[in-house]
Amino acid sequence: MKQHHSDVHTLAAAYALNALEPAERKAFTDHLPQCQACREEVADFEATAARLADAAAQYPPAAMKHHVMAAVDCVRQLPPRVPDAAPTSTFGSALRRRAVPLALAASVVAAASFAGLAAWQNQQSEQYQQRATQAEQRLDDVSTVLAAPDARTAHGRASNGAATTVVASERQNRAVFTASGLPAPAPGKTYQLWLDHDGTMRPAGFIRQDGTVLIDGDTADAGAVGLTLEPAGGSRRPTSAPLLLMALPT
């Protein structure tokens, strides 16, 4: 990654991801105390990277403890082992003879309970693994754009007060969108991104809360990125006034 000194401001994203070469890192580290804008940008990118990494982590489902404890309650304990010291009554012998099949039955019930629990846990694990894989892929895609040698950054502010940042890489034909201070949408609404292609607005994905997302679509011929509030599920064309329309950085 080679940058001229005049481009030192564009190294913020790569610095936050520890993707700079030693000489570039030293140059940016020397520049950082003197530039408030770069310090704020680095802090935003570091927070975004942390949120994306946390999204890739796997957490046990909240219901797992309840299911385990419920299964344990269904397990019948075996009777205590008592050494055969003296002859026992016929009643005692009969009781022991009945205890064996009861213990076996309890074992079968326990096995069935834990088999069902294991199947449920395996299904939950597969779902969480799939989500983790998708989150890791999103993190890789976003990180690749942020650390691109030709990454360019533009800042804006939506009409609802949210601070926004767009980082674009012409070489990769990709861009990412970051929002901070984005108010929660009303029930049944969602924030939708758009790419402006010579006046034609094309859907470019969603952002539902503060964070960073990869902009969907071809950015090569797009001139600007827009943000609107749309019905849940999105729209084919904007149905409300734009909250933001910002030129893509070049």
Side-chain angles (χ1 to χ4, degrees):
M1 182 185 299
K2 300 298 182 184
Q3 299 279 350
H4 299 295
H5 180 72
S6 60
D7 296 329
V8 68
H9 298 278
T10 67
L11 299 177
Y15 175 84
L17 296 172
N18 294 316
L20 292 179
E21 297 176 0
E24 293 172 327
R25 185 173 184 83
K26 183 179 185 306
F28 189 79
T29 301
D30 294 341
H31 163 78
L32 200 57
Q34 308 167 18
C35 183
Q36 176 67 21
C38 282
R39 290 198 299 273
E40 293 177 354
E41 195 164 313
V42 166
D44 288 342
F45 283 126
E46 287 177 340
T48 297
R51 285 194 293 268
L52 289 169
D54 182 66
Q58 295 187 57
Y59 300 94
M64 180 175 289
K65 180 178 179 180
H66 171 74
H67 283 273
V68 171
M69 298 306 295
V72 169
D73 289 339
C74 295
V75 178
R76 182 186 179 97
Q77 294 184 352
L78 292 173
R81 293 189 176 184
V82 180
D84 295 331
T88 57
S89 66
T90 304
F91 175 77
S93 300
L95 183 59
R96 282 201 305 274
R97 287 195 299 271
R98 292 184 60 190
V100 173
L102 285 174
L104 291 175
S107 299
V108 172
V109 172
S113 297
F114 280 105
L117 177 62
W120 176 83
Q121 289 176 337
N122 182 62
Q123 182 181 9
Q124 292 292 309
S125 177
E126 291 178 354
Q127 292 176 356
Y128 276 85
Q129 181 61 42
Q130 183 179 9
R131 293 176 187 173
T133 300
Q134 293 172 348
E136 288 174 359
Q137 184 61 54
R138 289 195 299 269
L139 175 60
D140 289 343
D141 292 341
V142 169
S143 299
T144 299
V145 176
L146 296 182
D150 66 333
R152 295 293 182 266
T153 305
H155 300 283
R157 188 167 293 277
S159 61
N160 59 7
T164 62
T165 300
V166 174
V167 180
S169 168
E170 183 178 357
R171 186 176 303 174
Q172 295 187 30
N173 192 23
R174 282 181 164 185
V176 297
F177 181 87
T178 298
S180 176
L182 196 64
K189 296 288 186 178
T190 188
Y191 292 106
Q192 187 166 357
L193 293 167
W194 305 88
L195 286 174
D196 181 8
H197 291 269
D198 295 328
T200 300
M201 304 300 289
R202 298 179 181 173
F206 303 92
I207 184 166
R208 295 173 175 81
Q209 58 186 8
D210 287 355
T212 298
V213 296
L214 187 71
I215 296 177
D216 295 340
D218 187 354
T219 61
D221 299 324
V225 58
L227 179 70
T228 62
L229 192 61
E230 300 293 332
S235 305
R236 297 181 62 183
R237 295 287 184 269
T239 63
S240 63
L243 301 171
L244 174 77
L245 187 61
M246 181 170 62
L248 283 170
T250 57

